[in-house]
Amino acid sequence: MLFENIRFLDTTLRDGEQTPGVALTTEDKVSIAQKLDELGIDIIEAGSAITSEGERESIKAITAENINAEICSYCRIKNSDVDYALECDVDSIHLVVPVSDLHITAKLKKDRDEVRQIASEVTEYAKDHGLIVELSGEDASRADHEFLKSLYSDGISAGADRLCYCDTVGMLIPEKTREIFSDMSSSLDAPLSVHCHDDFGLAVANSVAAINAGARECHMTVNGIGERAGNTSLEEVIMILEWLYNYDTGIKLEELYKTSRTVSRLTGLPVSANKALVGENAFTHEAGIHVHGLLANTSTYEPLKPETIGRERKIVMGKHAGKSSLKLALKELGLEVDESQLDEILSRVKVLADKGKRVSDADIQSIAETVLEIYREPKVKLEELTVVSGNTVTPTASTKLNVNGQDIVEAGVGNGPVDAAIQGVRKAISGVADIQLQEYHVDAITGGTDALVEVLVKLSKDGKIITSRGARTDIIMASVEAVLNGINYLLDE
């Protein structure tokens, strides 16, 4: 077998939380730890016990949970760090030793021999206190290779259970990674793990290369979060091993997307739309030719079924979409339309797309529901609408409606252009029915200044109250459309 007994250490709660602007509460950390354990992660680096009392409380809260994973704390090469970790009742420590000459001299103000001695002493101290020790070389990719091996050898003699090679600033390339890990995994008598950063976008590639060359553990974070450009992406490594190398990781794949969303929500870090596997667009299709292929066989334009990682396929509408795309999208929304309604929905979608907007599921549903209302043979139709508004002008709307085949022109004034337009509509139909506006609500359901807006209104007539909606890129037109939809509904009663 290419890989054997690979273990996974998740450092979302330690390295991931070092992302600028992220500060997780104890409750957040416990929630993420529980999700990682449910996922099947072997080791959870719950934090760094030396950081603060609050950090220690969070780690203690995690260790108090009924979690199957090994719980780990980050430690510097100081006995005091180990003592704080012991206070938190963790199973193991990630004992990090600066190993490049740059870090040894500039950060520690020591020499190589001193660092080797201290690392061994702290390792022995932690082992004497019953901890599992993963001895980690910080900035290993810029360290002297032979010195690093000697430090690791000393660590093994002192009782280190595992060794970790850290590419702290993302300087490795896959070819060099294979060379390093082939040598170290064959010459050191302890399991070797890999910890990569993504400064050059190679964290995942280097991690997979290391596993390929003998590493038996991989450090990762959910969504690849972490300081600077982030860490190795957990979901990408897992699915590369599972799908491309056919290796059973033991991870519950169907929980990957839920875990990604949980971490994104609790950290406040949005996932890029085009991120592999968990990004919004990963299983989203627009182009008509792609959708046609998907209808024949989903494998035509998908490397794996979205359900594999707990996702769903999405069909979105845009300028490249056709009727087949729209039919499929409407079917998924549980909406049935006839040919004329389909044409009208597609026409509106194209108009919106030509404005540079991507049409979401919410847009389709709102547009479709609006069109379905329109095609109930409306008794009241909008023929013309002119609105005048400004700093020195009272908002005024001139409205021309066709009511039961008769054109009616009215003007309305209001507190703003939307209010004026609605008042104009109400006045125009006043001879037919007394319609009262009970509530008005507007939402932007896409971003940007040219957002598609959805207007919800609650209207009443003779004690009958209904809600209706309108959706346009123009808030005035969306409002009038919502009111007219409601009026037509009430007149049909």
Side-chain angles (χ1 to χ4, degrees), residues 33 42-46 59 62-63 67 69-73 89-93:
D42 299 289
I43 308 161
I44 298 173
E45 189 170 28
I59 298 173
I62 292 171
T63 57
I67 286 178
E70 176 186 311
I71 306 300
C72 177
S73 173
D89 198 29
V90 297
D91 303 301
S92 64
I93 61 169

Side-chain angles (χ1 to χ4, degrees), residues 437-477:
L437 176 65
Q438 302 291 332
E439 291 182 17
Y440 175 91
H441 182 77
V442 60
D443 281 315
I445 47 180
T446 54
T449 55
D450 58 344
L452 183 74
V453 294
E454 181 180 64
V455 173
L456 296 174
V457 296
K458 182 181 288 186
L459 302 174
S460 65
K461 171 181 171 286
D462 300 330
K464 173 72 173 180
I465 299 176
I466 61 98
T467 59
S468 61
R469 74 180 73 229
R472 296 285 181 119
T473 55
D474 184 322
I475 189 173
I476 299 174
M477 289 303 300

